[in-house]
Amino acid sequence: KAGVTQTPRYLIKTRGQQVTLSCSPISGHRSVSWYQQTPGQGLQFLFEYFSETQRNKGNFPGRFSGRQFSNSRSEMNVSTLELGDSALYLCASRTRGTAGELFFGEGSRLTVL
Amino acid sequence: QKEVEQNSGPLSVPEGAIASLNCTYSDRGSQSFFWYRQYSGKSPELIMSIYSNGDKEDGRFTAQLNKASQYVSLLIRDSQPSDSATYLCAVTPGGGNKLTFGTGTQLKVEL
């Protein structure tokens, strides 16, 4: 069974640009969550989607947005990038009813210059 | 107060010893508790889940939960160098599915 796939794995952007990250969950998983990981703050929850609906949202500014498609694939977008957005962005999927049993992708490493 | 707190470490233990990792949480209504392991440069992977007070054993790993004290721990018996990683405690708060992580404890198992 294929795991969670995230693309791109690495990317470099400059301040003010926008970025879109993609996540394909494990087959059969309809829930996708996004996390930001930085050395200082650890793993911080961005949002969760289930069946194309945002179910939960973390404390991030509106520049961070996401969506989920009918095939459960998800994208997150960050607009007007800031230096502080440099981080590892992790996507995780799960089956319904297993709120904490997440399967993580390898992440997208974003560097903002 | 952080929702989930862990000592950042590093916690150093000799090979073969028991490693004890601790975590406290602030939401008394929290319902589900998890331990994830993250190797350097890799993504987190789930190693234990515990939902009720007491101990849960899985191989060399034992998770312990004390809801009255809002405390969850992970014991690793017969620690191996391959156990060297950051261990993340995670909690689902009462009434929600959002998984909140602690900042992790770095474990180093020395030969």
Side-chain angles (χ1 to χ4, degrees):
Chain A
K1 201 175 194 179
V4 178
T5 304
Q6 290 188 246
T7 57
R9 291 291 312 279
Y10 302 92
L11 65 166
I12 299 173
K13 295 285 186 179
T14 57
R15 280 181 299 174
Q17 287 187 309
Q18 66 95 24
V19 65
T20 298
L21 309 177
S22 179
C23 172
S24 293
I26 291 172
S27 177
H29 288 191
R30 293 165 63 189
S31 168
V32 172
S33 299
W34 288 90
Y35 286 82
Q36 181 196 66
Q37 187 172 36
T38 58
Q41 299 296 318
L43 271 165
Q44 293 190 287
F45 175 77
L46 282 157
F47 25 67
E48 179 187 22
Y49 288 87
F50 184 86
S51 295
E52 302 178 66
T53 301
Q54 187 179 89
R55 292 300 181 93
N56 289 291
K57 189 176 190 306
N59 296 323
F60 279 81
R63 300 185 297 107
F64 292 80
S65 63
R67 59 178 175 169
Q68 187 180 33
F69 303 96
S70 59
N71 62 358
S72 295
R73 190 177 70 85
S74 177
E75 289 182 347
M76 68 162 283
N77 183 277
V78 188
S79 62
T80 318
L81 284 166
E82 301 176 359
L83 295 178
D85 296 333
S86 294
L88 179 66
Y89 289 88
L90 290 162
C91 167
S93 72
R94 66 175 176 90
T95 58
R96 188 174 187 174
T98 57
E101 298 181 10
L102 302 179
F103 294 85
F104 284 89
E106 291 300 312
S108 293
R109 170 81 58 187
L110 170 65
T111 302
V112 182
L113 302 176
Chain B
Q1 182 185 10
K2 290 185 178 179
E3 293 180 74
V4 181
E5 295 209 52
Q6 297 180 255
N7 187 316
S8 61
L11 172 66
S12 293
V13 299
E15 185 178 5
I18 297 175
S20 178
L21 304 160
N22 304 315
C23 169
T24 58
Y25 58 94
S26 61
D27 183 352
R28 186 169 287 279
S30 296
Q31 299 180 353
S32 307
F33 308 85
F34 306 87
W35 285 98
Y36 283 77
R37 177 177 62 199
Q38 186 173 24
Y39 291 113
S40 180
K42 299 294 186 181
S43 57
E45 58 176 332
L46 178 67
I47 54 172
M48 289 287 287
S49 59
I50 186 166
Y51 301 95
S52 55
N53 277 330
D55 295 0
K56 179 182 178 183
E57 187 174 318
D58 184 1
R60 296 187 296 112
F61 298 96
T62 298
Q64 299 175 317
L65 175 61
N66 184 327
K67 288 187 176 180
S69 300
Q70 295 175 242
Y71 176 93
V72 58
S73 64
L74 178 70
L75 301 178
I76 306 175
R77 290 182 300 281
D78 189 24
S79 295
Q80 301 297 310
S82 59
D83 294 326
S84 298
T86 296
Y87 289 81
L88 302 164
C89 173
V91 176
T92 56
N97 286 332
K98 185 184 76 171
L99 191 62
T100 300
F101 285 84
T103 52
T105 298
Q106 184 183 8
L107 173 66
K108 293 184 176 181
V109 181
E110 300 168 332
L111 295 171

